[in-house]
Amino acid sequence: MKTIDLDTVDIHLDPPDFEPQRQYYFMAKCREYVRAESSRLGRPLTCGVFTFGCQMNARDSEKLEGILRTAGYEAADSEDADFVIFNTCTVRDNANQRVYGRLGELKGRKRRNPSMKIALCGCMMQESSVIEKIRTSYPFVDLIFGTHNIYKFAELLYHSLETEGMLIDIWKDTDRIVENLPVERKYPFKSGINIMFGCNNFCSYCIVPYVRGRERSREPEDIIREIKELTADGVVEVMLLGQNVNSYGKNLNHSMTFAELLQEVEKIEGLRRIRFMTSHPKDLSDELIQVMKNSQKICRHLHLPLQSGSTRILQRMNRRYTKEQYVDLAMKIRSQIPDIAITTDIIVGFPGETPEDLEETIDVVRTVQFDNAFTFIYSKRTGTPAAAMEDQVPEAQVKKNFDRLLKVVQDTAREQAAKYEGTIGEALIEEVNQEDDGAQSCQSLVTGRLSNNMIVHVPGDASMIGKIVRVSLDECRGFYYMGTIRP
Ligand code: 5AD
Ligand code: SF4
């Protein structure tokens, strides 16, 4: 973890006006509060950070935890902690419903531990209807903030600890990027890195541009410096994160393409693997394909959301490519980089989708042979253009289409996976796998990730975690492999 020396901060002065020093000041104030509370209770104070949603949120949660740990909280992986924060997602309604369910459960815990504090942040909090609902139905929540002022968490935390009642601070948008805040990484050997924030695409179903704001790229020097610090700290794999990484760098003073950024990242000594997410097909350049092809470090995996295979639906989705353009792009990538895995996202039940449109999507799945596809039932998001479209598809039809697509997707993914059976690959060992393995249940297994993002289980122990090893992919079991280590 990046450590910050709070002992040099004078908390008896007024807070500084500039960042990140202002936040260091409030971290020091929080630390004083935590120390006092701990000695009053005769035990350490604990915190629990719980994440809903995407990799961006997972990275934000590492920042929240970094600040809480710097302030003196001990991590407790339980909702019984003294400070509990839910970092929420709102991309589909079921993510929202899960947050409400878990929040209901917290009420009883707070009754048993009156000094407990409950905070909510993230994408869902950028919606005013959500704030209203929490105000009226969950009044025991102490702190609410959104996606734009997360860098101010230390300051908000301090004010919340010092006051009673609900503190709400939501910003509509920001162009600020504050560097050098503490981060507590979940894995010592791999890390996400934000390269840009927000999204300008306005796909008609998607709430992200409304909750994450306009696109802003981080300066390449800041990204490179952060990755160098991470590799010095033992990280071997990074995942460059953005809603649309292919448009990285457009708003910088010295504009830079994503492919150019990747080439700079490639040069970092000690770094072994580079991943990135997510790519919009309309912005994926030939330059990027060439850079990926020639790279020793960029993983053989591309996540390229299709959303629909019907040009008519794609147009209504405001995706700005046709079925043919998507297929041509995917096939070009496959021909240039034959061992690449292409994965995708598909939405079923977008307004106006007919059985014929679904057949078009299935046709793309069969042609491109996706290595994996995440299929989602369309969820109506208030405020998006698609929510106002009149021809919403009846639920029964959506369910039928979803099941039909899922079967095709699973069959193709299984076929793709089987292709590599009997070959040798490199896997980054990520964790110990305790699950029973049929007859050989006594054997201890570890789980590794191949360059193409597939999972392989091999015999081994915890000492291998974080190492990149050669493995033979002995047996394909649907979506993962059983393998053995090779010298
Ligand atoms: N309904 C269903 N799925 C959605 N996604 C985004 N918005 C919606 C929505 N309103 C899916 C897209 C995106 C993924 C992260 O979530 O497929 O790529
Ligand atoms: Fe991530 Fe979008 Fe969900 Fe926000 S709404 S957590 S950006 S998937």
Side-chain angles (χ1 to χ4, degrees):
M1 170 173 130
K2 190 181 177 94
T3 45
I4 288 165
D5 186 6
L6 293 186
D7 292 331
T8 57
V9 177
D10 187 347
I11 52 172
H12 304 293
L13 299 175
D14 283 342
D17 288 331
F18 41 90
E19 301 292 3
Q21 281 70 15
R22 186 177 172 88
Q23 298 313 310
Y24 298 163
Y25 171 90
F26 282 108
M27 279 174 227
K29 295 282 261 191
C30 290
R31 190 174 67 165
E32 192 190 47
Y33 171 96
V34 170
R35 279 179 181 160
E37 264 304 278
S38 296
S39 68
R40 186 178 72 80
L41 297 167
R43 61 170 177 82
L45 290 196
T46 54
C47 66
V49 180
F50 299 92
T51 313
F52 300 75
C54 65
Q55 306 260 7
M56 297 268 198
N57 263 22
R59 183 64 178 158
D60 283 348
S61 288
E62 292 185 344
K63 295 176 188 169
L64 297 170
E65 188 153 346
I67 290 167
L68 287 164
R69 297 289 293 274
T70 306
Y73 282 96
E74 285 189 4
D77 248 356
S78 136
E79 286 168 28
D80 261 332
D82 297 294
F83 187 90
V84 170
I85 181 160
F86 289 165
N87 188 7
T88 64
C89 169
T90 185
V91 75
R92 287 172 293 276
D93 188 54
N94 52 9
N96 296 44
Q97 294 314 320
R98 277 194 297 138
V99 169
Y100 290 130
R102 297 265 294 268
L103 207 47
E105 289 166 22
L106 284 189
K107 190 175 179 182
R109 292 181 200 265
K110 185 156 180 173
R111 213 178 298 125
R112 290 191 294 277
N113 175 9
S115 62
M116 179 184 186
K117 293 274 180 184
I118 298 173
L120 298 171
C121 68
C123 298
M124 196 174 147
M125 301 305 128
Q126 293 294 139
E127 291 180 274
S128 47
S129 58
V130 169
I131 304 295
E132 264 330 292
K133 180 162 175 165
I134 292 168
R135 250 195 237 269
T136 47
S137 305
Y138 305 91
F140 54 87
V141 171
D142 299 284
L143 170 62
I144 302 178
F145 57 99
T147 54
H148 300 298
N149 51 352
I150 188 166
Y151 74 86
K152 272 181 66 184
F153 175 49
E155 184 168 349
L156 296 169
L157 174 66
Y158 177 69
H159 290 312
S160 167
L161 293 173
E162 286 291 316
T163 49
E164 289 295 316
M166 193 186 283
L167 172 63
I168 303 177
D169 193 18
I170 307 289
W171 294 7
K172 280 242 164 308
D173 211 338
T174 185
D175 51 12
R176 275 207 99 145
I177 299 178
V178 175
E179 300 285 343
N180 289 320
L181 291 173
V183 178
E184 180 75 24
R185 290 201 318 276
K186 190 165 169 211
Y187 298 97
F189 54 88
K190 68 171 184 176
S191 180
I193 315 279
N194 298 105
I195 63 164
M196 58 202 300
F197 303 91
C199 180
N200 287 352
N201 284 327
F202 290 95
C203 302
S204 64
Y205 51 81
C206 188
I207 201 158
V208 170
Y210 307 91
V211 297
R212 290 253 171 197
R214 294 294 68 73
E215 203 171 276
R216 317 170 296 282
S217 295
R218 274 178 81 192
E219 291 294 337
E221 299 78 43
D222 290 329
I223 297 169
I224 301 292
R225 182 180 37 74
E226 185 178 348
I227 301 178
K228 282 186 175 160
E229 283 168 10
L230 288 168
T231 49
D233 197 29
V235 164
V236 291
E237 179 181 297
V238 290
M239 164 87 84
L240 308 181
L241 297 171
Q243 297 297 343
N244 179 13
V245 292
N246 295 320
S247 66
Y248 171 80
K250 287 189 181 151
N251 63 341
L252 292 171
N253 287 338
H254 302 282
S255 76
M256 181 184 215
T257 64
F258 179 54
E260 286 165 349
L261 176 71
L262 279 173
Q263 285 168 288
E264 291 306 309
V265 176
E266 174 108 17
K267 290 181 198 153
I268 297 175
E269 247 173 79
L271 182 65
R272 303 276 303 275
R273 280 180 163 189
I274 306 166
R275 297 184 184 277
F276 54 85
M277 182 164 268
T278 287
S279 294
H280 195 303
K282 80 174 164 57
D283 297 317
L284 198 143
S285 65
D286 286 346
E287 185 196 12
L288 175 63
I289 300 174
Q290 288 314 310
V291 167
M292 285 186 84
K293 180 179 173 174
N294 297 327
S295 167
Q296 300 299 312
K297 297 185 180 175
I298 302 173
C299 288
R300 292 309 196 226
H301 174 216
L302 189 65
H303 187 66
L304 195 62
L306 167 68
Q307 312 301 5
S308 168
S310 154
T311 298
R312 195 180 69 85
I313 295 294
L314 286 169
Q315 201 173 11
R316 287 170 62 105
M317 286 178 161
N318 192 29
R319 291 289 288 174
R320 287 171 275 176
Y321 53 84
T322 62
K323 174 189 182 185
E324 288 72 26
Q325 282 168 332
Y326 184 96
V327 171
D328 287 351
L329 176 65
M331 298 322 259
K332 179 161 69 179
I333 295 164
R334 284 221 189 274
S335 77
Q336 291 288 317
I337 315 170
D339 55 345
I340 202 162
I342 303 182
T343 59
T344 201
D345 293 339
I346 300 171
I347 298 176
V348 178
F350 184 84
E353 188 183 58
T354 62
E356 291 74 41
D357 292 315
L358 184 80
E359 290 312 312
E360 299 271 329
T361 303
I362 287 176
D363 187 41
V364 177
V365 174
R366 293 216 169 105
T367 311
V368 176
Q369 292 273 304
F370 290 114
D371 295 78
N372 200 359
F374 299 96
T375 46
F376 303 108
I377 288 185
Y378 168 72
S379 172
K380 191 172 172 176
R381 309 314 289 134
T382 310
T384 61
M389 292 181 186
E390 274 167 11
D391 36 5
Q392 306 281 326
V393 185
E395 218 176 289
Q397 180 67 42
V398 176
K399 182 79 184 63
K400 217 170 105 197
N401 288 353
F402 183 81
D403 291 345
R404 171 152 160 64
L405 176 67
L406 190 64
K407 175 144 191 338
V408 181
V409 155
Q410 287 180 341
D411 289 348
T412 353
R414 246 190 297 269
E415 271 170 43
Q416 282 296 101
K419 269 193 346 199
Y420 297 105
E421 198 175 74
T423 64
I424 299 224
E426 277 193 342
L428 170 59
I429 303 299
E430 297 192 338
E431 58 199 7
V432 172
N433 176 310
Q434 304 290 9
E435 270 169 37
D436 272 5
D437 176 36
Q440 306 147 24
S441 58
C442 308
Q443 196 172 36
S444 132
L445 293 175
V446 288
T447 302
R449 193 175 294 272
L450 298 163
S451 173
N452 70 5
N453 213 35
M454 276 199 70
I455 293 294
V456 55
H457 301 297
V458 292
D461 58 44
S463 69
M464 290 161 60
I465 292 174
K467 302 217 165 84
I468 295 180
V469 293
R470 261 165 62 85
V471 291
S472 63
L473 308 174
D474 303 328
E475 188 195 340
C476 178
R477 293 199 184 160
F479 305 110
Y480 65 92
Y481 289 103
M482 300 306 294
T484 35
I485 303 273
R486 284 301 175 92

